[in-house]
Each structure stands twice: as structure tokens, then as C-alpha cells.
Amino acid sequence: MATKNKKLSLKDKYQYLTRDMAWEPSYQKKEDIFPYERFEGIKITDWDKWEDPFRLTMDAYWKYQAEKEKKLYAIFDAFAQNNGHQNISDARYVNALKLFLTGVSPLEYGAFQGYAKVGRHFSGAGARVACQMQSIDELRHVQTQLHAMSHYNKHFNGLHDFAHMHDRVWFLSVPKSFFDDARSAGPFEFLTAISFSFEYVLTNLLFVPFMSGAAYNGDMATVTFGFSAQSDEARHMTLGLEVIKFMLEQHEDNVPIVQHWIDKWFWRGYRLLSLVSMMMDYMLPNKVMSWKDAWEVYYEQNGGALFKDLERYGIRPPKYQDVANDGKNHISHQLWSTFYQYSHATNFHTWLPSAAEMDWLSEQYPDTFDKYYRPRFEHWQKMQDKGERFYNNTLPQLCQVCQVPTLFTEHGDPTQLSLRTLEHEGERYHFCSDGCCDIFKYEPEKYIQSWLPVHQIYQGNCEGADVETVVSKYYHINIGQDNFDYVGSPDHQRWQAIKGNRPLGGDDDSRDAA
Amino acid sequence: MSVKALYQYSAEPRDLQANFNGMQLVYLYWPNHLLFCSPFAFLASPEMSMGEFCEQVVRPAIAAHPQAAGLDFGQAQWQLNNQPFSPDPALSLAQNGVAHKALLTLRVPGLDGIAGGAI
């Protein structure tokens, strides 16, 4: 480099930041410094072939992020001062935020920890720096999400103890165990799980619905957070694709290992996103698009093109992709039915879709909604009209791997539940699908340790033997405030008051007027 | 397969019957009655008779379904872990071979759900 040229080019700067801050160890063995790099079986012959996905130096990073923060917090302040929560489409929308805050934001924190860890454990300096930068991004995301949603905590229930709930509440073991599974794997599997399968293949199915949902429903704070995170997400996706291509190009022995991880993490991500499916189809008062349409655009089309591109490395599309494609017609309805009947044990409200919403669902799901799901909702409506709102008072069977209740139906037969079971070393285990059963068979010792919320309650580890005690004492869900049906809830009554409508009693069904 | 690790990886199953204070888990699936989103998970004593289990544990759990009212467990065609099963209602769950974490499938002729199994 020319010494008289004081200003370095971006490329030179990045070179200094990554490669020139690394060194060859002289008195310690490289394997001892980077002990996790080889045990997964991934063979790296030349780290110099790593193409830096970010090319962002620290000074540029700080400057860029600081500018974004300034704008973001100015909008949060304006949102709070102008009582922005009063301008959302309907208070039912806030329940999507409750799900996001307890289910997704803690994963951002998990990602911060995960990337900090793997950012220590690669011997390639380029990969280390990329992971460390993503780690900082993830910490920023969890903070800005909390700040975006804290305003809602002042006006609505169920947002008061998200971190505690994430560790304990039954359905939050689904996202929590997903991330724990990834973080307890080796560094290459972690990147395949989170950077590739989640950030690259599936992230649009999470963030586009949430951020468009926020925009369609007047939540400017969340929209702004979404925009602020978008440029980070673009970098994260680049890292996801780079790590896969790098592993595949380094050694042909890596191909079957990577293929197995893609199969596993596609399926785990798909199961996790079933929570988003019900959010899109049922929880947004103003709908963006159906889950089915989102799946077709973001997975079948975009994912299809991606896996075509990866074909030349010997990678095929994920196993059980056909089951997932078939599921696009069903899972949102199945999930919402489940949360509807277990709404006494959730920190958010559920409700029956209105007549107009059911017509929208019929249009979006012409082959399935009227046949398999409308009769159920109409039956529940009749029960609710009689003052017998349906709650399922028995705990559900959970899948040993994804930890979702075993509620999904068979591929090709939507009237039969998809149930799988096997015995391993004298113990019986149950699964929701062949996908989850395969994951178990590959690493049974890992999943025999699953902390299944239902079994923990029955073992007496959750501060009570009945649902009410567990929900209030162990989960910190305020009974009668945070849980049960939306209709007649304190959130509903408060919203009516904000809109100047008459206050409601518990049995007055005014969802259409809301 | 097994977990790849840098050390001898071994683990205890978290849900051994010994952890349930003398009780056991029993799951029950009632096909074509999707009012209930998934099979039920019950905590039951292995000493409980199959007849008591049906009347005291299963019946209250399914009571909200319109087809539960007249259900005669004597007519039931059972499966145990997907195999045909003829339990003796007088014998205990353990004596009937309903082990910890067993899945029972309940079918009663004529009770095939409502609206083609949607409810």
C-alpha cells in the first residue's frame, strides 16, 4: 500500500480489519485455539477463499447505524407523544405484537449470543468478523424491538414480562427450543441453521408479513423498526448464502453434511413459522396477504430458484418440502384453532373470525377452508353465543422435537392427525411428522432431553398442579387481563373507550363493530 | 446416528416414568373429532383400572364434544400404539399393558365426528 496516500480505499480498510488483524499462531496449536472447527466433519482447505459478505468497516458501520438509530428513535418519540397506539386498525392487532415480543425478540437476543460465540470459533478471520458484526446487529434488533413495543405495554395487557415468559410459557418453548437446538450445535451447523435456513430461505416469511402487517394496521413504530433492520437483514442473508457456498466449494465431503443440515433446519424453520401463518390469516385485522400466497411467493418461487442454483453443488431441495407445500392450505387454520382452545394459557387474546373474515378465508383457501375449518369455527361461534366459549381443559400431546402440539394433519388427508411414534432405548417418543421424527433419529441423545412444557407441569416442576396456578404463578400471565377471548377483555373495553364506543360486557359480541 | 461432539456425549431422558411421582403419561387420540386440536396428554396412576380411566379421565376431557354424551366405552375399538388392542376394563392400565407414554386411539362405531371430522 502506498504510504503517502493517507486515505485508504474501502477494500484496503476491510483488508486491515479482517485479514491483517489475524495472525498465524507460533506457540499454540491452531486446533487448540479453534477447538470447535473440525468436530462437525466440515473440511476447510483454504479460508482465503472466503468471500467477505459485508465489506463494511467498523467506522462506516458505527456511522451508518448511528444515523439509522437517530431517525428511528425520533419516530418512536413522535409515536408515543401522539398516542400512536390510538391510530392502529384495531386493538386485536396488538396481539400480533405480543406474540412477536415473547416469541421473536428473545430469538434476536439468542442470535446475538450465538453469533458472538461462533465469531470466536472460526479460524478464518473473514468469517469471524462477519459473525461478530452480525452479533452486534442482533443486539441492536432486540433493543429497538423492545423500545418500539414498550409504548404498547403502557396501554395493553400481556406485554409485561416477555423474557420470563419466553423461558416458561408452553408455546414459547417452540421458538426457544429451536434456537437452543441451533446454539448447542457446532459453529457450521449454527450458521446453516440461522444464517442460511432461517435468514436466507425463510426470513421473508417472518419479516415481510410482520412489517407489512404493521403498515397495513397503522403501527408506524414497528414499520420504522422494520425499515431500520432491513439493511442489516440484507447483509445477514448474504452471509447465509456465502457460508453455504463456501462449505460446498471447500470439499465434496461437506455436501452430505450440509444437505442433512438443510433438511433439518428447513423443517424446524417451517414448524416455527406455523406461528406466523396464524398471525397473517387470523391476527391482523387488515390482512396483507394469505399465508398460502406468502408461502408460494417466498418459498416455492424464491426458494425454488435458490435450490436450482445450488443444484450444481449436488444439493437438492429440502426433504419433505412437498409436505410443507401441501401444508400451506392448512396450518394457519390448525394453529389458530389450537390457540383459540388454549387461550386461557396464553399472554395474548384469541377470537373467532367474523363472518367477513371467514368469507376472506374461503376466497383465499377455496379447497380447504369451507370444507375443513369453517364448520369448526361456526360450531364454536354457536357455543360462544350460548355463553359456553370453548376452552380445552386437558393438556395437549407435544412433539418431542418441534414442541408444537401434535396438531398437524396428514399430507393428503386433512381429517387425520399426523402422528409418529418410536421407541428409543426402552422409552417411547411422539412426533408431529416424519420431518421431526427423522431429526430425532439422527441425534436421539439431544432430543430425549427436550424440556416439554406439558410433561414439566405433570412432573410438578411448574409451581402447581392445575392450569390456573401454572398460568398465573409460573408463567406470570395475569388471569382475566392477558388471557381468554378478546371479546370482553380489558384490552377490548379500553379500545372501545378510545374509539368513543359504549363499554362492553363479557357476552356482547361486537367484533364486527370493533 | 448419534450426536457429534468433542467428548463422550450421553444424556438421560427427561421424561422417565420415575420423574412423575408414581404416575404415568397416557395419550389419547379420538380420530375425526378435530374440535380437539391434538391428542390429549393425561397424567394417570398405573394402578387405575381401564374402566375408571375411561369414565374419570377421558369422559370429562371429551365432554365438550356433542358426540361425547352417549358414548359407550364398551363399544370402543381401541388401538394401543397403533396396534389393535382389547383392554379389560376391570384390569389396571399397567396390567392391560398401557405403559408410560402409550398412545391410545379411541374409535366408537357410529361416532365419526361432525361435518366429516371437522368437529
Side-chain angles (χ1 to χ4, degrees), chain A residues 39-40 338 341 372 375-376 380 394-397 406-407 416-417 428 430 442 445 448-450 455 458-459, chain B residues 1-2 4 9 11 14-15 19 21 25 27 29 32 34-35 37-39 41-42 61 81 101 118-119:
Chain A
F39 80 94
E40 296 173 277
T338 301
Q341 63 192 264
Y372 302 109
R376 198 176 307 163
W380 282 334
T394 307
L395 304 182
Q397 182 189 52
T406 48
L407 60 92
Q416 299 304 309
L417 292 179
R428 182 166 291 281
H430 298 272
Y442 202 82
E445 307 91 329
I448 62 173
Q449 304 168 68
S450 295
H455 296 178
Y458 282 150
Q459 286 182 29
Chain B
M1 295 296 291
S2 62
K4 282 183 194 165
Y9 188 99
R14 196 176 289 273
D15 296 321
N19 300 343
N21 307 304
L25 292 173
Y27 304 108
Y29 175 38
N32 301 312
L34 289 172
L35 180 82
C37 64
S38 70
F42 295 119
N81 299 319
K101 295 169 86 177
I119 300 168

Side-chain angles (χ1 to χ4, degrees), chain A residues 54 68 108 134 137-138 141 145 198-200 203-204 207 225-240:
Chain A
F54 296 179
K68 285 199 298 185
E108 304 270 12
Q134 177 155 354
D137 283 341
E138 303 291 359
H141 290 181
Q145 283 167 22
F198 202 69
E199 299 261 22
Y200 195 88
T203 199
N204 281 335
F207 275 91
F225 154 73
F227 277 127
S228 172
Q230 208 167 35
S231 54
D232 301 346
E233 294 297 337
R235 276 185 284 117
H236 301 171
M237 289 177 80
T238 323
L239 173 59

Side-chain angles (χ1 to χ4, degrees), chain B residues 87-109:
Chain B
D88 181 337
L91 295 181
S92 71
L93 293 175
Q95 287 164 332
N96 271 302
V98 180
H100 178 52
K101 295 169 86 177
L103 172 69
L104 289 169
T105 306
L106 167 70
R107 282 191 178 84
V108 182

Side-chain angles (χ1 to χ4, degrees), chain A residues 1 5 7-16 57:
Chain A
M1 248 164 276
N5 186 357
K7 220 166 158 74
L8 295 169
S9 73
L10 186 64
K11 195 169 169 240
D12 290 336
K13 275 190 193 169
Y14 198 78
Q15 186 73 17
Y16 273 122
T57 60

Side-chain angles (χ1 to χ4, degrees), chain A residues 310-513:
Chain A
L310 292 176
E311 229 173 53
R312 65 196 162 101
Y313 297 105
I315 290 292
R316 52 157 176 76
K319 202 175 173 188
Y320 304 122
Q321 170 187 269
D322 55 328
V323 181
N325 290 344
D326 178 64
K328 72 187 171 192
N329 290 304
H330 300 283
I331 61 170
S332 66
H333 319 301
Q334 295 168 353
L335 263 288
W336 190 243
S337 299
T338 301
F339 279 89
Y340 177 81
Q341 63 192 264
Y342 286 112
S343 204
H344 46 314
T346 57
N347 66 312
F348 60 89
H349 300 295
T350 57
W351 53 87
L352 287 171
S354 67
E357 285 171 320
M358 286 214 268
D359 289 345
W360 181 82
L361 290 163
S362 300
E363 265 169 46
Q364 299 298 315
Y365 296 94
D367 300 331
T368 55
F369 184 76
D370 284 354
K371 193 166 175 197
Y372 302 109
Y373 304 105
R374 182 188 278 271
R376 198 176 307 163
F377 290 127
E378 288 178 345
H379 178 76
W380 282 334
Q381 184 67 62
K382 276 189 217 141
M383 289 178 77
Q384 200 157 340
D385 291 344
K386 283 192 286 180
E388 296 166 9
R389 203 281 193 193
F390 176 60
Y391 292 104
N392 189 335
N393 290 311
T394 307
L395 304 182
Q397 182 189 52
L398 303 180
C399 174
Q400 187 77 24
V401 171
C402 71
Q403 309 203 6
V404 179
T406 48
L407 60 92
F408 302 98
T409 51
E410 289 287 1
H411 180 190
D413 191 354
T415 63
Q416 299 304 309
L417 292 179
S418 162
L419 305 174
R420 301 291 181 271
T421 178
L422 58 73
E423 271 194 68
H424 172 74
E425 296 183 347
E427 284 290 305
R428 182 166 291 281
Y429 299 93
H430 298 272
F431 311 93
C432 69
S433 56
D434 290 319
C436 281
C437 192
D438 278 10
I439 293 169
F440 179 93
K441 283 189 217 162
Y442 202 82
E443 295 179 301
E445 307 91 329
K446 194 167 192 178
Y447 301 99
I448 62 173
Q449 304 168 68
S450 295
W451 193 95
L452 297 177
V454 167
H455 296 178
Q456 288 300 310
I457 292 169
Y458 282 150
Q459 286 182 29
N461 297 334
C462 302
E463 293 185 38
D466 63 292
V467 171
E468 196 173 319
T469 312
V470 171
V471 164
S472 61
K473 280 181 70 178
Y474 190 66
Y475 292 171
H476 292 188
I477 288 172
N478 295 321
I479 292 181
Q481 303 278 318
D482 307 335
N483 61 349
F484 299 131
D485 203 282
Y486 173 70
V487 177
S489 68
D491 271 9
H492 186 197
Q493 294 181 26
R494 197 167 302 123
W495 185 250
Q496 294 291 323
I498 286 171
K499 292 288 144 188
N501 297 335
R502 71 199 158 78
L504 279 168
D507 53 355
D508 187 345
D509 181 1
S510 68
R511 271 168 302 109
D512 295 333

